[in-house]
Amino acid sequence: EPTLTCKGLLHKLFYTPLLILNFHPHLRVKSQKTTLFPYGLWKERNELHFSKIGIWSSLTEGDISVPVSSIDHELTGKHVTMIKMDIEGAELAALEGAQNCIREQHPKLIICVYHKPEDIIEIPAYILSLCPDYKLYLRHYSLGHTETVLYAV
């Protein structure tokens, strides 16, 4: 799930249908510095539909409905210092929903770029189109093709 830090505060936008449906009444935040948002992260406020196949899910016209929102919408007026995303291929759409935040505040970005083959090219290009001053670093954390992370500082 994405993690955002805002002047010492931690905001998490997440959506795991089983977690929300089964445990939502029991979720407790033990810190006043943490805010949980029960949304998936996307480029805009909307509702997406997924199909569940075994332990996997995919974005389709499926029967699982997930509310989504954007960083620009949810954190308007907040000072964002860092954005971390590992959101299973929705990183580019989520960055599109954070374009004002990125342009205006230049937060540090930690973005996974291995979920789709084009991510490793399109995500850095998109970030630089918003803010050409970023310095980009790429780090690969596994022996396989997964766990490649882009750092923009």
Side-chain angles (χ1 to χ4, degrees):
E1 73 257 4
T3 303
L4 303 94
T5 57
C6 307
K7 285 220 172 209
L9 299 177
L10 176 67
H11 301 279
K12 285 194 167 269
L13 284 90
F14 73 97
Y15 197 86
T16 303
L18 293 176
L19 176 66
I20 298 298
L21 293 174
N22 295 331
F23 302 106
H24 189 272
H26 306 291
L27 282 176
R28 298 286 182 263
V29 177
K30 296 186 181 202
S31 168
Q32 292 180 351
K33 293 184 175 187
T34 302
T35 305
L36 299 178
F37 295 90
Y39 308 109
L41 197 55
W42 196 245
K43 58 186 160 190
E44 62 195 3
R45 286 196 76 144
N46 205 338
E47 190 169 283
L48 301 179
H49 300 278
F50 291 82
S51 291
K52 185 161 175 52
I53 303 166
I55 62 169
W56 305 102
S57 64
S58 63
L59 183 59
T60 62
E61 293 300 317
D63 56 349
I64 299 171
S65 178
V66 177
V68 292
S69 193
S70 70
I71 289 173
D72 284 344
H73 179 42
E74 296 300 325
L75 297 177
T76 299
K78 305 281 188 200
H79 182 70
V80 178
T81 57
M82 189 266 294
I83 298 173
K84 175 183 167 272
M85 292 181 189
D86 183 357
I87 49 178
E88 306 308 316
E91 288 83 1
L92 185 56
L95 287 167
E96 290 171 1
Q99 64 182 311
N100 294 331
C101 174
I102 292 168
R103 276 192 187 118
E104 296 166 10
Q105 301 186 44
H106 199 268
K108 292 177 183 146
L109 304 174
I110 304 169
I111 313 295
C112 286
V113 293
Y114 64 89
H115 294 108
K116 295 190 267 184
E118 62 271 20
D119 283 349
I120 201 163
I121 302 298
E122 291 180 358
I123 289 174
Y126 181 72
I127 290 169
L128 290 175
S129 77
L130 297 177
C131 188
D133 294 337
Y134 273 115
K135 292 192 184 324
L136 303 181
Y137 302 91
L138 197 62
R139 178 132 187 219
H140 186 70
Y141 290 94
S142 74
L143 296 175
H145 69 280
T146 62
E147 308 306 327
T148 305
V149 180
L150 176 72
Y151 295 87
V153 294

